[in-house]
Structure formats: structure tokens, C-alpha cells
Amino acid sequence: MPSDPTPHSAPPTAPARHRLADIARALGAEAVGDTTIEVTGAAEPRSAGPGHLALAMQPAYAEGLAEGHARAAVLWDGADWRALGLEGAILVARPRYAMAHLTRTLDPGPAIAPGIHPSAVIDPSATIGAGAAIGPFVVIGPGAQIGLRARIAAHVSIDADAVVGDDALLHAGVRIGARVRIGARFIAQPGAVVGADGFSFVTPQKSGAEEAREAVGQRGTVTAQSWVRIHSLGAVVIGEDVEIGANTTIDRGTIRDTEIGARCKLDNLVHVGHNVVLGRDCLLCGQVGIAGSARLGDRVVLGGQCGVNDNIFIGDDVVAGGASKIFTKVPAGRVILGNPAVKMETQIEINKALRRLPRLMQRLDPRRKSVSNSDETAPE
Amino acid sequence: MPSDPTPHSAPPTAPARHRLADIARALGAEAVGDTTIEVTGAAEPRSAGPGHLALAMQPAYAEGLAEGHARAAVLWDGADWRALGLEGAILVARPRYAMAHLTRTLDPGPAIAPGIHPSAVIDPSATIGAGAAIGPFVVIGPGAQIGLRARIAAHVSIDADAVVGDDALLHAGVRIGARVRIGARFIAQPGAVVGADGFSFVTPQKSGAEEAREAVGQRGTVTAQSWVRIHSLGAVVIGEDVEIGANTTIDRGTIRDTEIGARCKLDNLVHVGHNVVLGRDCLLCGQVGIAGSARLGDRVVLGGQCGVNDNIFIGDDVVAGGASKIFTKVPAGRVILGNPAVKMETQIEINKALRRLPRLMQRLDPRRKSVSNSDETAPE
Amino acid sequence: MPSDPTPHSAPPTAPARHRLADIARALGAEAVGDTTIEVTGAAEPRSAGPGHLALAMQPAYAEGLAEGHARAAVLWDGADWRALGLEGAILVARPRYAMAHLTRTLDPGPAIAPGIHPSAVIDPSATIGAGAAIGPFVVIGPGAQIGLRARIAAHVSIDADAVVGDDALLHAGVRIGARVRIGARFIAQPGAVVGADGFSFVTPQKSGAEEAREAVGQRGTVTAQSWVRIHSLGAVVIGEDVEIGANTTIDRGTIRDTEIGARCKLDNLVHVGHNVVLGRDCLLCGQVGIAGSARLGDRVVLGGQCGVNDNIFIGDDVVAGGASKIFTKVPAGRVILGNPAVKMETQIEINKALRRLPRLMQRLDPRRKSVSNSDETAPE
């Protein structure tokens, strides 16, 4: 471990080289021109060097090729690669889908050394699948089971009796709670927490919040009470091919388990409360919050910062635009937006109308104008 | 530490067994029928096995009992347990409150081994209370004080001169900053951070944001300035019986301390800014954000994703519905909703009116229809 | 490491002492009276002891001085320090700016011991700058480069080929991903994650969400498809003097790098998606979310819980009030508010009008009143 006063001189790890023909094969696409060209990575057309594969999958990106130095590029179906000054090319029909295969091919993957780092603390009753790679300072509790070829980065903790499936990839600092069960090919970004205790409290008598819910904002005499904890006896069950983002949190259930269906993808800083059930193939963008006991169907897509009320059901194939706040159940297939969320077309009409509302109001009710400033001093 | 190619075979840790009579006593409730039945856990009626205590605390859940295999259940007051096919039962008056006692009885708790793990790095000047359990790779700084029987899981760090009270439970990866002082029975879920630096910056001259606040959106010539950091000299002081959620963050104060009152409960991914003062018994749901120097009274309940503006005061017993954005002070006892938050009844009336607004607008002002599309291209 | 049944008795680490004259010099301000008075920290006037420097930078705070016990205070320009009962004082013109210098002077800083803790796991190919302090259980990967005098607290992980600039301060549990490059004087609060994979998925055919975007909420037959992962080949590049908050997450780019301009400040729990470009001197408050490929100009200020749509551009000097949801591009210099965000003055007019809307609606359209309850049962 060198101590060096000029710290910016170490050469980076040498990247792998890929032949154009091999990349095309992985993409199920057509390679043209000199398919023996080797590249070490992909780049945008303008910033591509001679060792890069330029990505210019739409005609709009083509002009950047002249500025950059790529010898080969991925182009849209039917592009004239010679006219673009290239020596070789890969032609693709659905660019974004091609990106999935292309980036997988070129991804060097995380640098988790094979084998079990000697500093890891693994309970003797835990079982570790063959081929698993376990990094420094990992802690694995009693009865835990780690699948074949799982890759577990530094500082991960996996609590008692948790099960992590084959080919899992747990990045640094991920927390897997006791008795959590996770299917194959799970990916967790750094700092994600699966199996924290649910947030469930009760007052000895009815609380003000309970009354307000029941009576839509009305309530009787407020009594001073403290919160008593409801412990979480359930766990979290996660299907196959799920991915969760950095610092995302998924709470355990109270009696039954919180469930995340196969192939769900959760972005960073997402909150999934206790007892929630997500169907399959759901996509939850950054900072989405799902309150306790809500259920989502299959293929639900929630834009960033959406919120879902507790105990409601969101049907299959619902799509919610960014920052939608969903208070009530939503039928299958609906596209929604807004706070509170309504049909997207309705919300767009409402938003247009809102821009015109102040002028309309003044036209209809000019006397009120002078009063309106005081309306703003408090939520009343 | 076995390396095993068939990793899913280890038997889970054997759970504790509880007699029906003992559970009833812990709940302060009545046990009927065969009170010697032993259970190892609770389950929903439908999925309960013969070793489970089924939870059917409302008549609506009763039918599931026939499908499941429970011999004993927790039922609502006055239920006919024999007619439901049970051999024994516990009858409770306020089901959710019974849940608190029941789940506490059945919770096996986190598997933190007693004693201090040899890998922990504890400064010689720190003091550790008798009976404390400290997990692998924990780091405790100089002058820190850990209470009696505290349980501290793997990868927790506790910085210099911090005080953690008796019977604390710090889950994996919790961060306690320097000089933070925390009362007894504190619970922190994985990844929670107490005592990060406050977010406080200033420009040499007035910034555009300051001008915009003072003049409600108007401002003069914009000058290019950079932010200068205001350091956080204060700490965080937390009362007794507080619980905070996974990856929740509480910042230290600038000069004085940020304060969290006794018995407050904070859910996951909650943000509490510098100098904030929370009263007692507050409940902050998932992803709530409290900006710097805001103050909350006692028993304030904020639904998920609520936001509280900086420097404002929220009175005792205020209840805010999910995703409420609170910009101005709120009188005690008020129930509020919306962005900006107003009285809940008012918001519900506004929401109803909004659904009808586009049609009304067109009726009153049909000429504008064709123009409205352009309204959407930019926030103007 | 003592095990002590009375854990609350250890004396805290002795704080440094500062002379009034020295503090004034650091502030570029005038010291008056007995400038040899020594203080160990700052305090609010009311709670100040004789060893504290009281902060009473506005006349409103002056009365607290009589209640407290400070001998010296920082006062507003022109204050009569003798009449306030003080023995010495520092007079400042712009109080918040003075706070920056004052708090920097008095901040004891994090207690990261000099040198490299023997438990740290540092790859032999990593380079560590002279004077760097590296705490317990830190993991530094192959090819990583750590700058001069960097301070790295416990449980930090820095992946392969990452570069951390001179004088960085990484608090406990920070995660720096592979190939991330960070400029000098970077500060990361506990749990922050730089360089998680981007959230980028694609379906083999067009998805329901894609259709809904293109057709503003309309879509054809829904087909069941699963998500295919687009890997993140890019990294994150961070300029000089950047600070990011606790548990904040910044994703790597897909092909190019995500970019954070010099001197940007990000609060806690902020989410920055893949390919995002932040200009210089931006300020993002708590829980802000920036979706993938959005670009911000210089000096953009976003209040707490703001959201920025993917692929849009926010011009220089834009200021957004708390909880603004920005769906479309915003011209330079604009001050905006609301969901969807519009000009702040417009939003304030809209908010006023909304309070009056239910009454207006009833006046104009009284027949509908009885129907309106049913409007609320579902987002429709």
C-alpha cells in the first residue's frame, strides 16, 4: 500500500477488448464493414475516440460522428455507415433495446474478488453457495443461506435465517434483515435495506389521526396519548430478477410477509412499507413511497416521487406520472397524474384551467380581490 | 463456515413456544377454551397452521379460519369461538392495541450476540454499559458513552463524545455523530444517520433565493456568487423511547441542538433538518421532510411524504394527510391536507371543484380553448 | 476498553479555546472591549454561559443576553455592547455571512485519527495521498487514488479506479463507486452513495409507459412484457468544493458520465439520476429528486422535495420553492413554485383562487352539489 505525494498517477485497470462482430452477435444485430475492429467501450459520437464504439442510434446523433474519432458505431436500421465516415457499424431496429444488450456486453462489472475475504464474519451455521464472492467486513448471521455464485461487496450484513438466491449481486453496505427470502439474480445497490421493522404504532384509545381519517378531517376532544409499538413478525419475500436502488428501504410485514413480485425494479430512495404486495414487473422510480398494506398489480409503473396511500389497490398496468399522489384505488390500465391523482387527460385539463383561474376569478368576483392576501397567512 | 453447493437446506433457528394462557396474560385479555395450547407464532387466519395463533380480530376475518388450520385465534370481544371451529381463543376489545402486546410477546428480536465482538474498535476513553451487546466491526469513538444493555448491530459507528442511553437497539450500519445525546430505549433501523452536518450555506451578498423569498418571486439583477459553508456546532438531543426508521437522517443544529422529543416515532427516509425541534409523541411517516429550524408541537402526525417549510411552527395535535406541503404556521389541533396544505375539509372541497373546473372554464370562456395548449410548454 | 456499570460519567474531550480578537480577525470584523476574553464555543444568547460567545446578530436577539451569562457576543453593526451588559463584542455587517466564518473557526471537526487504521483494507494498486487519514474498516479498491490530506471515516468503501481529490472529507459509511472522479475539498455526509447504477430499463416492444408519454395518457392494447436492464458504463464526475448530504444518492451515467459542477451543495436524501448534468454553484435542498438526463444550469436553487422531470433543462439562476414539481424546461432566472411548477406569482394567485373556488362553483353550478361525493371514490 504505497503512500504517494502525487496520488493521481496510477494507471486504471486495463479494460477488456470486444470485436465488433462479437458485439453484434450478442445484440442479435447485423454487423457491416470491418467487423474485426476492437473496442474497449462505448461513447457518445462527439466524445468517442478510435477505441470506442460510438452510439448514434438515431439520425439526430449522426452529425456528432464527424466531430468524434470513432471508427465504428451502432446506427439505426438502414443508416449509410460509409457516408458517415465509419469503417464498420452495427445496425439495430429498436435502439433502446439494443442498448440493454450492448451495455451488458461492455460492462466490466463490480470488482468483487472471488472467494471469501478473510475479514468476513460468517456464522458457522450459515451456508454459502459454491462460487460465491464475499468482500471485506461482510457479516452473515446464523442460519443464513447464500446462493451459488452470489457476489457480496464490502460491509454488507445479512441477518439470521435470511436466504439470498443464486447469482445475487449485493453492493456495498446493503442490509438484509432476519428471515428475509430473496430469489435468484437479485441486485441491490449500495445502502439498500430489506427487512427493517414496519412503522406501526397504536394508541391505547383512538388517536386524533384515526378520528380524522374516519370523519374526513373532523374530530372530537383531543386526548394526550403515547404510541405503543406493534412489532413486525413477518419478513420480506422477493421474487426472482428483482433490482432495488441505492438507500431504498423495504419493511418487513407485521404478521404476514411484505412481498415484491418477480422482475420488479425499484430505483433509489424508494420506500416500501410493511405488508405491501407488489405484483410482477413493476417499475418504481426514484423516491416513490408505498404506504403500509397497499397492493400493486403487475406491470405498474410509478414515476419519480409518486406516493401510494396505505391499504389501497393499484390495478395491473397502471401508469402514474411523476409526483402523482394516489389516495384511492385505481382500476387496471389507467394512466394517472397529479395530487390527488386523476386520469392523466383530466389532470392536464385541470392544469390548463388553473392557469386561467385567477383571471376568471377576478372577472367573476372582483370585490374579493382586496381580501385575498390574508388568505395566505395560514392553512385554514 | 461450510461451503455447500446446495445452499438452501439449513434448518432455520428454532422459534420459541408460547402458551395461550401466557399470551392472554401479556395482553391483559381473556383466554377461553384450551388455554394450554402452545403456538410458535402468529398468522393470518387463511395461512395459519396448527402451530400458529390466528389473528381474526374483526368478524370480516372470521371466514378465513375455516380455510386455515389454526387451533387457536385472537378474536373480537364477544366472538363465538366454538362456532368458528377453534379449541381455544383470546378475546380482545381494541384489536390494534392488542396487536402491540401480542407482537411484542412473539418477536424473537434481533440476533445480536451478547458481549463485545472482538473485531469492534472501541476507543479506550469510551464507556460501555454493563450487559451491552456490540456486534462485528462496530466503531465507537473517544469519550462516547453507551448505556446499560444497549444492543449495537454490525457496522454501526458512534462518534466522539456521543451518548447512547440504556436499552438502545441500533441496527446495522446506523451512524451516530459526535456529541449526539440519546435517551433510553432508542431504536434505530438500519442505515439511519443522527448528527450529519446541517445544510446551511450563505453567499457573500444577498442571493437570488433570498431575494425571491422576500419579494414573493420578484428579484433584481442576478449576481453570480458561490456558497460559503456555515458549520454545524450544535448536536442532536433525542428524548426517551424514540424510534427512527431505515436510512432516516437527522441533522445537527448550527449553534444550539436539534431536538427530538420523547416518544417520537419517525419512519424510513425521513429528513429532519438542522435546528428543528420536535415535541413529544410526534409520528412522522415515510419520506417526510422537515426543513431547518421548523418546530413541531406535541403529538403532531404527518402522513407520508409531507413537507414542512423552514422556520415555521406546527401546533400540538396537528394531523396532516399524506403528501401535504406545509408552508405556513398551523394552529394546534388542525387537520390539514394538500399542496399548499389547507384545512382537510377545504382541500376536499377544492379537489371536488377541480374535477369540474375544466368543463366550467370552457362554458364560461369558450374562446380560450384553442390557446390553452401553448400554456403547457413551460412553467411561465 | 472499560466495561462500566455507570456509563454516563466520562468527561467529554476538552474543547479548544479561542480569543475574541482572533475570532474577529478570522471574520474580518471589528472586536471591541476586552478582546482577550477566551471562549470555547458559541451559544444562543439565552443559553450562553460565561465561556460562550453569544450570537445576537439582530436587535431581536438582544434581550436574551440579559437572561444568559455571556461575557462576549457577536452583535449587529452599530450595536451598543456596553448597554447590553457585555465585556467585549464583535460587530458584523452581514450576520449570516459572518456565521460561516465564525462556525468554521469554532468547529472542532470530525475526530478521524491521523494515519491509516490497521484494519483498513487497501488494495496494493491504490495510491493514498500524503497526510491522508483513513479510519477503521475502510475498503479501497484496486487502482483507486486518494488525494492529499483526505479524511476518510469508518466503514467507507471506495471502489476500483475511483479518484477522490485532495482534502476530501468522507464521513462514515460513504460509498464511492468504481471509476467515479471527484475534485478537491469534497465533503460527503454519512451514508451518501456516489456511483450506484442508473435506473434504466427497456421492454422488447414499446411499453405502456412509453405509449402513455407519447400520447399524453392514451394508449393501445397493453401487452405483458418484462424489463431488460441497461447497464451503466459511465461514471460520475464531481467538480471541486462539492458537498453532498447524508444518504444522498448520485447514479452513474449510461454511456457518458453524470456530472456535478463545482461548488454544488446537495442536502440529505437527494436523488440524482443517471446522465444528469448539474452546473456550478447549484443548491439542492432535502429530498430533491432529479430524474435521468435532466440538466441544470449554474446557481439553480431547488427547495426541499422538488422534483425535476427526466431529459429537461433548467436554466441558470432558476429558483424553485419547496415541493415544486418541474415537468418542462424553465428559462434562466425564473422563480417558480407548485405542482406543476409555474411562475411563483402565478402559483400564488392560483392558490388564492383555489381557496375561493368551491364557493364559486356552488354559486355557478348549484345542481351538481349532490353528485360531487361520488367524484372522490377513484382517480378517474
Side-chain angles (χ1 to χ4, degrees):
Chain A
M1 188 187 56
S3 183
D4 184 343
T6 58
H8 300 298
S9 53
T13 309
R17 304 184 67 81
H18 305 268
R19 274 185 2 145
L20 202 60
D22 298 336
I23 295 173
R25 195 173 310 119
L27 267 61
E30 184 192 4
V32 293
D34 180 358
T35 64
T36 67
I37 292 174
E38 286 186 342
V39 295
T40 58
E44 301 197 328
R46 229 174 284 272
S47 54
H52 284 131
L53 181 64
L55 303 183
M57 300 185 192
Q58 294 172 33
Y61 296 121
E63 61 181 276
L65 288 169
E67 290 181 47
H69 301 90
R71 298 169 60 205
V74 186
L75 301 173
W76 63 100
D77 222 4
D80 183 351
W81 56 275
R82 279 187 202 85
L84 293 165
L86 298 165
E87 301 170 33
I90 297 173
L91 304 176
V92 298
R94 178 157 159 76
R96 267 184 72 79
Y97 190 53
M99 280 287 281
H101 294 283
L102 179 71
T103 57
R104 192 179 56 204
T105 303
L106 297 176
D107 188 356
I112 302 176
I116 297 174
H117 194 275
S119 66
V121 171
I122 303 181
D123 190 275
S125 66
T127 55
I128 310 296
I134 296 182
F137 309 124
V138 167
V139 177
I140 300 182
Q145 304 175 41
I146 308 300
L148 303 169
R149 298 170 302 276
R151 290 171 295 168
I152 301 179
H155 303 122
V156 168
S157 57
I158 299 175
D159 291 352
D161 298 319
V163 176
V164 174
D166 295 343
D167 298 298
L169 171 55
L170 308 186
H171 283 275
V174 164
R175 313 288 163 197
I176 308 292
R179 300 181 301 284
V180 166
R181 302 188 303 287
I182 301 177
R185 293 173 299 282
F186 179 64
I187 299 175
Q189 299 296 332
V193 175
V194 181
D197 288 340
F199 190 70
S200 193
F201 295 90
V202 61
T203 47
Q205 277 84 45
K206 228 172 234 193
S207 71
E210 281 176 272
E211 288 189 11
R213 280 183 90 121
E214 291 174 9
V216 199
Q218 305 295 339
R219 63 175 166 182
T221 315
V222 173
T223 54
Q225 300 184 83
S226 294
W227 302 101
V228 182
R229 187 174 206 269
I230 296 180
H231 288 243
S232 296
L233 305 181
V236 179
V237 177
I238 296 182
E240 300 197 329
D241 294 295
V242 167
E243 175 164 355
I244 65 174
N247 286 342
T248 276
T249 65
I250 304 177
D251 280 0
R252 53 181 67 248
T254 307
I255 302 299
R256 55 181 164 86
D257 298 325
T258 300
E259 297 174 34
I260 310 292
R263 301 179 299 280
C264 283
K265 313 296 180 187
L266 280 63
D267 198 355
N268 296 347
L269 295 169
V270 169
H271 165 63
V272 178
H274 60 279
N275 298 345
V276 164
V277 178
L278 301 191
R280 298 171 171 216
D281 298 302
C282 292
L283 198 76
L284 310 189
C285 296
Q287 299 175 317
V288 160
I290 315 282
S293 299
R295 287 175 304 129
L296 275 66
D298 295 338
R299 295 172 303 280
V300 172
V301 176
L302 303 181
Q305 300 187 331
C306 281
V308 176
N309 209 351
D310 59 290
N311 286 288
I312 65 171
F313 178 67
I314 311 290
D316 292 347
D317 299 298
V318 164
V319 176
S324 296
K325 308 300 181 184
I326 310 173
F327 287 90
T328 53
K329 66 172 190 286
V330 185
R334 192 149 286 181
V335 181
I336 59 177
L337 181 67
N339 174 13
V342 295
K343 272 188 178 175
M344 188 175 280
E345 311 94 277
T346 306
Q347 187 63 53
I348 287 169
E349 287 305 312
I350 290 172
N351 291 349
K352 286 177 191 170
L354 279 173
R355 307 278 180 88
R356 298 159 57 196
L357 185 63
R359 207 164 300 170
L360 175 74
M361 209 61 132
Q362 199 181 350
R363 210 183 72 196
L364 292 174
D365 200 6
R367 295 156 300 138
R368 284 293 308 275
K369 174 69 175 160
S370 58
V371 186
S372 57
N373 277 323
S374 67
D375 284 352
E376 286 217 295
T377 52
E380 50 180 346
Chain B
M1 188 188 55
S3 182
D4 183 343
T6 58
H8 300 298
S9 53
T13 308
R17 306 185 66 80
H18 304 269
R19 274 183 2 142
L20 201 61
D22 296 337
I23 296 173
R25 194 173 309 119
L27 267 62
E30 183 193 4
V32 292
D34 180 358
T35 63
T36 67
I37 292 174
E38 286 186 341
V39 295
T40 58
E44 300 197 329
R46 231 174 282 272
S47 54
H52 284 133
L53 181 64
L55 303 184
M57 300 186 191
Q58 294 172 34
Y61 296 121
E63 60 182 276
L65 288 170
E67 290 181 47
H69 300 91
R71 297 169 61 205
V74 186
L75 300 174
W76 64 99
D77 222 3
D80 183 352
W81 57 276
R82 280 189 200 83
L84 292 165
L86 297 166
E87 300 170 35
I90 297 173
L91 304 176
V92 299
R94 179 158 159 75
R96 268 184 73 78
Y97 190 52
M99 280 288 280
H101 293 284
L102 179 71
T103 57
R104 191 179 57 203
T105 303
L106 297 176
D107 187 356
I112 302 176
I116 298 175
H117 194 276
S119 66
V121 171
I122 303 181
D123 190 275
S125 66
T127 54
I128 309 295
I134 296 182
F137 309 124
V138 166
V139 176
I140 300 182
Q145 305 175 39
I146 309 300
L148 304 169
R149 297 171 302 277
R151 289 171 296 168
I152 301 179
H155 304 121
V156 168
S157 57
I158 299 175
D159 290 353
D161 298 320
V163 177
V164 174
D166 295 342
D167 298 296
L169 171 55
L170 307 186
H171 283 275
V174 164
R175 312 288 162 198
I176 307 292
R179 300 181 302 283
V180 167
R181 302 187 305 284
I182 301 177
R185 292 173 300 282
F186 179 63
I187 299 176
Q189 299 295 332
V193 175
V194 181
D197 288 340
F199 189 71
S200 194
F201 294 90
V202 61
T203 48
Q205 277 82 45
K206 228 172 236 195
S207 70
E210 281 175 274
E211 287 188 12
R213 281 182 89 122
E214 290 173 9
V216 199
Q218 305 296 338
R219 63 177 166 182
T221 315
V222 172
T223 54
Q225 301 185 82
S226 294
W227 302 101
V228 182
R229 186 174 209 268
I230 296 179
H231 288 242
S232 297
L233 305 180
V236 179
V237 177
I238 296 183
E240 301 198 329
D241 294 294
V242 167
E243 174 163 355
I244 66 174
N247 287 341
T248 277
T249 64
I250 303 177
D251 280 0
R252 54 180 67 247
T254 308
I255 301 299
R256 54 179 164 88
D257 299 324
T258 300
E259 297 175 33
I260 310 291
R263 300 179 301 280
C264 283
K265 314 295 180 185
L266 280 63
D267 198 354
N268 297 346
L269 295 168
V270 168
H271 165 63
V272 178
H274 60 279
N275 297 347
V276 165
V277 177
L278 300 191
R280 298 171 171 215
D281 299 300
C282 292
L283 198 75
L284 310 189
C285 296
Q287 298 174 320
V288 160
I290 315 281
S293 300
R295 288 175 304 130
L296 275 65
D298 296 337
R299 295 173 303 280
V300 171
V301 176
L302 303 181
Q305 300 185 333
C306 281
V308 175
N309 208 351
D310 59 290
N311 285 289
I312 65 172
F313 179 67
I314 312 290
D316 292 346
D317 298 296
V318 164
V319 176
S324 295
K325 307 301 180 184
I326 309 173
F327 287 89
T328 52
K329 68 174 189 283
V330 185
R334 192 149 284 182
V335 181
I336 59 177
L337 182 68
N339 174 12
V342 295
K343 271 187 177 177
M344 188 176 280
E345 311 96 277
T346 306
Q347 187 63 53
I348 287 169
E349 287 305 313
I350 289 172
N351 291 349
K352 286 177 190 171
L354 279 173
R355 308 277 180 90
R356 298 159 58 194
L357 183 63
R359 207 164 301 170
L360 175 75
M361 210 60 131
Q362 199 181 350
R363 209 184 72 196
L364 291 175
D365 201 4
R367 295 156 300 138
R368 283 294 307 276
K369 174 72 174 158
S370 58
V371 185
S372 57
N373 277 324
S374 66
D375 286 351
E376 286 215 296
T377 52
E380 50 182 345
Chain C
M1 185 189 56
S3 182
D4 184 342
T6 56
H8 299 299
S9 53
T13 308
R17 305 184 66 81
H18 304 269
R19 273 182 5 140
L20 201 59
D22 296 337
I23 296 173
R25 194 172 310 119
L27 267 63
E30 183 193 5
V32 292
D34 180 358
T35 65
T36 67
I37 293 175
E38 285 186 343
V39 294
T40 58
E44 300 196 329
R46 231 174 283 272
S47 54
H52 284 131
L53 181 64
L55 304 183
M57 301 186 191
Q58 292 172 35
Y61 295 122
E63 60 182 277
L65 287 170
E67 291 180 48
H69 299 90
R71 298 168 59 205
V74 185
L75 301 174
W76 63 99
D77 221 4
D80 183 351
W81 56 276
R82 279 189 201 85
L84 293 164
L86 297 165
E87 301 170 34
I90 298 172
L91 304 176
V92 298
R94 179 157 158 75
R96 268 185 72 80
Y97 190 53
M99 280 287 281
H101 294 282
L102 180 71
T103 57
R104 191 179 59 205
T105 303
L106 296 177
D107 187 356
I112 301 176
I116 297 175
H117 195 275
S119 66
V121 172
I122 303 180
D123 190 273
S125 66
T127 54
I128 309 296
I134 296 182
F137 310 124
V138 166
V139 176
I140 300 181
Q145 304 174 42
I146 308 300
L148 303 169
R149 298 171 302 276
R151 289 170 295 167
I152 301 180
H155 304 123
V156 168
S157 57
I158 299 174
D159 290 353
D161 298 320
V163 176
V164 174
D166 295 343
D167 298 297
L169 170 55
L170 307 186
H171 283 276
V174 164
R175 313 288 164 196
I176 307 293
R179 301 180 301 283
V180 166
R181 301 188 304 285
I182 301 176
R185 293 172 299 281
F186 179 62
I187 299 176
Q189 299 295 332
V193 176
V194 181
D197 288 340
F199 190 70
S200 193
F201 295 90
V202 62
T203 49
Q205 277 83 46
K206 228 172 234 194
S207 70
E210 282 176 274
E211 288 189 9
R213 281 182 89 121
E214 291 174 8
V216 198
Q218 304 295 338
R219 65 176 166 184
T221 315
V222 172
T223 54
Q225 301 184 83
S226 293
W227 302 100
V228 182
R229 187 174 207 269
I230 296 179
H231 288 242
S232 297
L233 306 181
V236 180
V237 177
I238 296 183
E240 301 198 328
D241 295 295
V242 168
E243 174 163 355
I244 66 173
N247 287 340
T248 277
T249 65
I250 303 176
D251 280 0
R252 55 181 66 246
T254 307
I255 302 300
R256 55 180 162 88
D257 299 325
T258 301
E259 297 174 34
I260 310 291
R263 301 179 301 279
C264 284
K265 314 296 180 185
L266 281 62
D267 199 356
N268 297 346
L269 296 167
V270 168
H271 165 63
V272 178
H274 60 278
N275 298 346
V276 164
V277 177
L278 300 191
R280 298 171 170 216
D281 299 302
C282 293
L283 198 76
L284 309 189
C285 297
Q287 299 175 319
V288 159
I290 315 282
S293 300
R295 288 175 304 129
L296 275 65
D298 296 337
R299 295 173 303 279
V300 171
V301 176
L302 302 181
Q305 300 186 333
C306 281
V308 175
N309 209 351
D310 59 290
N311 286 288
I312 65 172
F313 178 68
I314 312 289
D316 291 347
D317 299 298
V318 165
V319 176
S324 295
K325 307 301 180 182
I326 309 173
F327 288 89
T328 53
K329 68 173 191 282
V330 185
R334 193 149 285 181
V335 181
I336 58 177
L337 181 67
N339 175 11
V342 295
K343 269 187 178 176
M344 188 175 279
E345 311 94 278
T346 307
Q347 187 63 53
I348 287 168
E349 286 306 312
I350 289 172
N351 291 348
K352 286 177 191 171
L354 279 172
R355 308 277 179 88
R356 297 159 57 195
L357 184 62
R359 206 165 300 170
L360 174 75
M361 211 61 131
Q362 199 181 348
R363 209 184 74 195
L364 291 174
D365 201 4
R367 295 156 300 138
R368 283 292 309 275
K369 173 71 174 158
S370 58
V371 187
S372 58
N373 277 325
S374 68
D375 284 353
E376 285 217 297
T377 52
E380 52 180 344

